Structures are given as structure tokens and as C-alpha cells.
Amino acid sequence: MNNNKGGEEGINRNDKSGEIDVTVPLGMMKMMKHEENMDYFDCLEVLYFDDMMHQQQPQQGQESPEPLSPSSSVEIEENDEPAKEEIGGNNDDQNNIVVQGRTHRKRTRLRKMAHERRKSLETTIRSRRRKLKQIMSEPAFVMKIDKISFVCGVITIMVIEAVLLLAPERMGTLYTTLLIPLMVARYVIYRADLLHYFMYDFCYYAQVLLLVYMYKYPNNVELGKALFAIGNGPLCGAIVMWRNSLVFHSMDKMTSMFIHILPPLVMFSRRWGDHLSKKEFPPYEAMDGTILSNMKNFWLAPFCLYLLWQAIYLVKTEIISKKKLAYNTSIMTSLRWMTRKKDSKSYKLLSVFGEHRQLFTFVLIQAAYTLLTFLLVPLLWHSIWLHAIYLGVIFVIALKNGATYYFHVFAKRYIEEIGKLVSEDDSARRKTPLK
């Protein structure tokens, strides 16, 4: 007797033996009849529904009667005595054993099939990844991407200059428009290369603070001064310390440059926007507030924001992700990057108090560097000329770093590549017989 009221699920009866399978819905049974067409996710779906039904079944020993099928609405009429005798009585235990055995075999077969389908799926994905990487590593493709990046980099610099001079009040909007896609692209690339822990560094934290200030608290003067100090202090200094460069064909280098130079430019436009629109450029403005208030706004407040980031960073790397970082030493952090070569100057500097105290030394040096970069900030706040010259010097340093890369690194690689192509062409000509 198979009573299925309008649903796809119900009792599955073995016509030859009269046994009743009360564990697998008919919908899943239909899928299992076409095993050759089932993929990995179909197998998981069958196993998932089967697990859900077993969880819904009452535990043994309960007084409540066990339903025939957890997923069906089968009801046995009181006047249906033959049906009661068929599925009840002394044969219940024997039928349950048979059903459990059949269910176990089905689940075993499904798990084996799911494992095979998963291996096939993984093989297909690896093959497609290899093909994609091969295409992306071809010289023609790389050169095309480099050309596009070069054009986009130069155009972006031109747009930034135009907005800064013609519409400084729109600098924040331009910054946001550039930042979001650059950060998404950087995370995707860095995640694949196990460099994503760099995005916990202070410069990325400063981007979040600047967005909060612009769109949540734009009239908060104290927060604005603190971010002015952060942008023109440690972020500008990082361009010199980390040798950021204007290499227009490299998206990675241009992104690093933008996240360090754009916040200072945004704060420059917000601080001197009225002067730029009115074309008034006084060499120096009178100090607003007392010396103590300026020290608080430009030194103490931004350093407190820095300390907050440092605490969050240490909790993340030394507590939350400590086991993960210890297990996978390929994941790169700022400290690991600076100590990856034992003969480097950074390794020797961070090991001045011993190799086991490198983290302490790193935190101490970074805090001292941050405080040092804050010293000049009050003067920049009160002089548009000094501020413009300061940013100009930083920009020239980035240009110099870019020129160094192009003529000492990129050109050398380019000449070597051209020489390799020329030698290959000459060898091919020698092998060609003369007619």
C-alpha cells in the first residue's frame, strides 16, 4: 500500500518482498535512479535530505509511535486492518533492520559517488585555472594589461590635478570613487597571493577613518585635524619609507601610491579649499588656539587613534589568528616581510633587542616613527605654501622612485627580453636552409 497525498515524497515499497523503505523520499529515489547524471552537488543534496529526516525521527524508547515517513503525510485509516497488520505486529523489528541495511548501502554508495564527482570537479577547476594562468602569463596579454594600466594611471593623475585645482570640494568624491574599486581589486589579488594581512596595516585603517569622517562626521573639527595629521604625517612618510613609486603600468604600485597620497590631498582640499577658490595664498596664518590645544589636536588625538589601531592589529595577529599564522607561514604580514631575509638591514634593526623580541621592537619603532611624522603637521596646518611644497617634495620622491624602477629594473628586464628574442630569431635564421 503506497499512500502519497499529492506530494512527491511517500513510502517506497519493494514490490517483490513487500518491504517498506521509510527513510528515503520518493523525490530523492527518482534522482538515485539516474546516478550517471548526478553531479557532486546532487549527491550532497540527497545526503542532506537524508540527514534531515534522520534528525526528525523520534529517538528509540520514546512512547510516541514512530511515523512511517518523516517527510510524508501518510495516514493509516482505522478501518484499514490489513495495512496495520502488514506494517505492524511482530515484523516491525525485522523490517526496521532490513530498511536500515538498505539505507546504509545507499548512503555508502552516494558518499563514494560524491567523492568521485568532487575529484572530477576539482580536476576540471585546476585544469581551467592552469589554462587561465597560461593565457594571463603570455607576453601579448601581459603587455596589453600593462598598456591599459599605464594609460589609466596617467589619466588618473591628470583628473586628480584638475579636480584639485578647479573643484577642490569634489576631491572627497573622487577619492571615494577611486578607493572602492582599488581596494576590492587589491583584496582579490592579495588574497590569492597570501598577502591579504597587509590590509590590516595602519594605512588601510586610515582610509576607513577618512571615509567615516567625510560621510558621518564632516563637521567634527577635532577629528578633521587628527586625520589631517595622520594623512600628512605617517601616510606621506610611508611613501618615503616604503619607496612607493609612480610606475604607471603597474596597478599594484599605483594602488599603493594612491592609498598614501590621496588622503593628504583630500585633507589639503578641505583645509585650503576656500583659499583655492578665492585664489588667496597667504604665506602663514595666525595660530588658532593655544599651543596646548594644537598639541592635543595634531599630536595627542591622532596618536590615540594610532594606538587604537595597534591594539586591534595585535589582537588580530597575536590572538585571533595566531594559530592560523603559525600553521601557514606563507601568509605574509608586515613583520614577516621585513624579516624574511636575515642579511637585510630591516632584519638586523628589528633584532637589536634579540630575535625573540622582534615584535616588540617593530611596535616600538613604528610608534616612534608615527610620533616623529606628527611634528611638522601644525606648521602645515597654518601655511598653504609650506603644505603645498611638502606635498610637492613627496610627489617628486615618488617620481624619482618610479624613474629608478623604470631605468634600473624595468629597462634591464626589457633589454634582456629583447636580447632573448633577437638571439632566438638569429638561431632560427641559421637553421633555415638557403635557397
Side-chain angles (χ1 to χ4, degrees):
M1 178 180 180
N2 187 355
N3 186 12
N4 184 10
K5 293 188 176 181
E8 194 180 29
E9 301 173 348
I11 300 176
N12 178 38
R13 182 192 299 278
N14 189 324
D15 294 334
K16 295 182 179 180
S17 62
E19 298 163 356
I20 299 175
D21 190 345
V22 296
T23 57
V24 182
L26 288 180
M28 298 299 105
M29 290 295 296
K30 292 179 180 179
M31 292 178 64
M32 291 172 61
K33 289 180 181 179
H34 305 280
E35 294 179 358
E36 66 279 0
N37 298 325
M38 292 175 62
D39 60 11
Y40 171 62
F41 300 101
D42 291 333
C43 298
L44 290 184
E45 184 180 0
V46 175
L47 294 171
Y48 170 76
F49 276 98
D50 190 74
D51 289 338
M52 292 294 293
M53 286 187 298
H54 277 78
Q55 292 176 8
Q56 294 175 11
Q57 288 181 351
Q59 297 179 355
Q60 295 182 357
Q62 291 183 347
E63 296 181 358
S64 60
E66 183 177 357
L68 293 177
S69 174
S71 60
S72 66
S73 58
V74 178
E75 297 178 358
I76 301 177
E77 302 293 339
E78 294 181 359
N79 57 356
D80 196 356
E81 295 296 336
K84 289 184 178 180
E85 292 177 358
E86 182 180 355
I87 61 175
N90 297 327
N91 295 327
D92 284 349
D93 295 338
Q94 184 177 359
N95 288 338
N96 288 336
I97 293 174
V98 173
V99 167
Q100 291 174 4
R102 293 176 60 194
T103 303
H104 177 71
R105 289 194 296 273
K106 292 172 184 174
R107 290 175 60 83
T108 303
R109 186 170 72 254
L110 279 171
R111 292 188 185 279
K112 183 179 179 181
M113 189 188 307
H115 179 69
E116 293 174 353
R117 298 292 192 273
R118 179 176 180 177
K119 291 188 68 175
S120 176
L121 181 63
E122 290 176 350
T123 303
T124 303
I125 292 175
R126 290 195 199 99
S127 176
R128 291 181 179 177
R129 281 182 177 176
R130 282 195 297 268
K131 291 180 180 178
L132 181 61
K133 287 183 178 180
Q134 184 178 359
I135 293 173
M136 295 179 65
S137 61
E138 291 179 356
F141 183 86
V142 173
M143 289 181 66
K144 184 178 293 185
I145 295 298
D146 288 346
K147 290 177 183 178
I148 295 173
S149 300
F150 187 92
V151 172
C152 291
V154 175
I155 291 176
T156 302
I157 294 295
M158 295 171 62
V159 172
I160 291 173
E161 181 182 5
V163 172
L164 188 62
L165 296 177
L166 301 177
E169 69 279 0
R170 300 293 184 184
M171 193 65 199
T173 304
L174 176 62
Y175 163 74
T176 307
T177 305
L178 292 173
L179 181 70
I180 294 176
L182 287 176
M183 290 299 97
V184 172
R186 166 148 290 191
Y187 178 79
V188 172
I189 296 172
Y190 273 26
R191 179 79 181 184
D193 296 335
L194 298 180
L195 300 174
H196 53 289
Y197 269 69
F198 278 125
M199 299 190 72
Y200 290 106
D201 286 352
F202 181 70
C203 54
Y204 298 92
Y205 169 78
Q207 314 300 318
V208 176
L209 288 180
L210 184 54
L211 291 175
V212 171
Y213 166 66
M214 289 192 304
Y215 296 105
K216 185 66 176 177
Y217 305 105
N219 299 320
N220 192 316
V221 179
E222 288 77 14
L223 181 59
K225 290 182 177 181
L227 289 174
F228 182 90
I230 289 174
N232 293 279
L235 290 190
C236 275
I239 296 175
V240 180
M241 294 292 295
W242 293 97
R243 296 184 60 82
N244 289 162
S245 53
L246 284 168
V247 180
F248 296 106
H249 78 278
S250 173
M251 182 178 175
D252 181 63
K253 293 184 181 298
M254 291 302 293
T255 301
S256 298
M257 182 66 193
F258 283 149
I259 64 175
H260 289 107
I261 198 63
L262 284 180
L265 292 178
V266 171
M267 298 313 299
F268 179 89
S269 65
R270 296 180 74 91
R271 173 66 181 95
W272 308 109
D274 293 339
H275 295 72
L276 293 174
S277 60
K278 297 177 183 178
K279 296 184 179 180
E280 297 177 355
F281 311 109
Y284 187 77
E285 288 191 353
M287 180 182 297
D288 52 345
T290 63
I291 296 178
L292 290 178
S293 65
N294 277 272
M295 292 176 61
K296 174 186 174 183
N297 292 329
F298 296 113
W299 294 349
L300 181 60
F303 189 67
C304 288
L305 292 174
Y306 166 82
L307 291 178
L308 176 61
W309 163 80
Q310 186 67 86
I312 296 173
Y313 183 85
L314 291 176
V315 169
K316 171 61 180 175
T317 57
E318 302 303 316
I319 299 177
I320 298 176
S321 300
K322 184 176 182 179
K323 292 182 179 179
K324 178 180 179 180
L325 292 172
Y327 176 77
N328 191 351
T329 56
S330 298
I331 298 177
M332 194 60 62
T333 64
S334 295
L335 180 59
R336 286 181 175 180
W337 180 264
M338 297 181 70
T339 57
R340 69 190 188 282
K341 297 179 181 178
K342 290 191 175 183
D343 58 344
S344 64
K345 294 180 180 179
S346 58
Y347 186 93
K348 295 176 182 178
L349 176 64
L350 294 174
S351 302
V352 66
F353 297 119
E355 293 185 354
H356 60 288
R357 291 195 179 95
Q358 285 181 342
L359 177 61
F360 169 78
T361 308
F362 180 65
V363 172
L364 185 65
I365 292 176
Q366 193 162 311
Y369 156 79
T370 303
L371 279 174
L372 185 64
T373 58
F374 288 153
L375 295 179
L376 192 61
V377 171
L379 298 178
L380 303 179
W381 179 265
H382 293 96
S383 174
I384 185 174
W385 283 97
L386 185 60
H387 195 185
I389 293 172
Y390 173 77
L391 293 178
V393 170
I394 296 295
F395 193 80
V396 169
I397 292 174
L399 275 175
K400 176 182 174 297
N401 293 337
T404 302
Y405 176 84
Y406 273 118
F407 290 101
H408 290 270
V409 180
F410 182 77
K412 183 179 179 181
R413 294 177 184 172
Y414 184 77
I415 292 172
E416 291 177 352
E417 186 67 24
I418 293 297
K420 187 186 301 183
L421 293 174
V422 171
S423 62
E424 290 176 357
D425 186 54
D426 291 341
S427 61
R429 287 181 180 179
R430 293 191 191 100
K431 293 179 181 178
T432 303
L434 295 175
K435 294 183 180 180

